[in-house]
Amino acid sequence: MEKLTQTYLNSILEYKDGNLFWKVDRRKTKIGDKAGRKKTNGYCEVGVDGKLQGTHRLIFMMFHGYMPKIVDHIDGNQSNNRIENLREATHAENMRNSKKAINNTSGFKGIYFCKRTKKWVAQCWVNNKKHNLGYFSDIYEAAKAVSNFRKDNHKDFARDN
C-alpha cells in the first residue's frame, strides 16, 4: 500500500470540476471512470488502496500537498468538492460554518422561543462560551442580532442558515 501523498494521488486520480476520475485500471474500474460514490449523508468517498477516503480530503491534498485534520465545504454543500469550495478549518471553525440543526423550530440558527418570557432568545457560541444576545418580541430582530454577532466573531466562517 502506497502512502497517500500529493504525487501518488495525482498519479492515480485526475481532478475535473470537483470530481475525481481514475488514471489507472483497477479491479472493477477502467481509466477515465469516475472515482468513488456519494453516501447518504451527501459526502463523497473514494477507495484508495483498500481504504475509503473523503473525496474532499483527497482533492485538498492533490492541490495543497497535505491532509489537514478538517476540510470545510465553504458553501455547506458536502457534495460540492470543487477546490475553490474547500478550505482547511479547525473543529470550531467547521462548526461555525455548519447549517442549522434539523430539529430547529424557529427557522433561524441561534434562536429559540422562551415560553416563560414569551420572547425569542438569541444566542451564539464563540470559543466554547455561549453568548446570550437578548430577548426579542420580533423573531427577525433576534435573527439580525445573531447574524451581526456571527459576522463580527465568526468572520469568514459565519453562516446564518
Side-chain angles (χ1 to χ4, degrees):
M1 174 156 75
E2 189 80 29
K3 182 178 188 289
L4 288 184
T5 64
Q6 183 178 33
T7 302
Y8 177 63
L9 289 175
N10 281 300
S11 74
I12 64 168
L13 294 165
E14 179 179 6
Y15 169 86
K16 288 183 192 170
D17 297 325
N19 295 297
L20 294 175
F21 297 87
W22 291 109
K23 286 183 172 180
V24 295
D25 283 333
R26 297 168 48 92
R27 271 185 274 161
K28 295 181 181 179
T29 60
K30 301 289 179 219
I31 293 173
D33 286 352
K34 189 173 179 183
R37 66 183 178 96
K38 187 174 179 179
K39 296 169 35 176
T40 56
N41 65 4
Y43 286 96
C44 301
E45 63 185 5
V46 176
V48 177
D49 295 336
K51 185 173 180 198
L52 290 172
Q53 303 279 347
T55 302
H56 59 294
R57 297 178 59 71
L58 296 174
I59 290 171
F60 189 93
M61 179 175 245
M62 289 171 73
F63 277 81
H64 298 289
Y66 69 99
M67 184 86 69
K69 203 170 190 177
I70 297 175
V71 176
D72 180 56
H73 289 84
I74 296 168
D75 68 0
N77 177 354
Q78 301 95 325
S79 300
N80 181 359
N81 292 313
R82 285 181 163 74
I83 188 61
E84 56 273 6
N85 189 47
L86 304 176
R87 63 183 168 191
E88 182 175 6
T90 65
H91 176 70
E93 288 169 335
N94 196 37
M95 294 308 297
R96 291 173 189 154
N97 192 37
S98 65
K99 294 181 179 179
K100 72 177 185 270
I102 57 172
N103 63 348
N104 178 301
T105 56
S106 72
F108 297 95
K109 269 176 71 174
I111 310 286
Y112 72 91
F113 189 74
C114 177
K115 291 178 184 175
R116 182 180 56 79
T117 62
K118 297 190 179 354
K119 293 195 182 269
W120 296 100
V121 180
Q123 60 187 21
C124 192
W125 289 80
V126 176
N127 299 327
N128 291 325
K129 183 173 188 241
K130 182 168 59 172
H131 296 265
N132 290 308
L133 307 176
Y135 292 82
F136 299 83
S137 297
D138 181 8
I139 191 171
Y140 297 105
E141 288 299 316
K144 185 177 176 184
V146 173
S147 180
N148 290 337
F149 184 86
R150 268 196 200 97
K151 286 176 186 150
D152 290 343
N153 292 277
H154 294 177
K155 308 291 184 208
D156 291 340
F157 290 87
R159 172 180 295 279
D160 288 328
N161 54 11

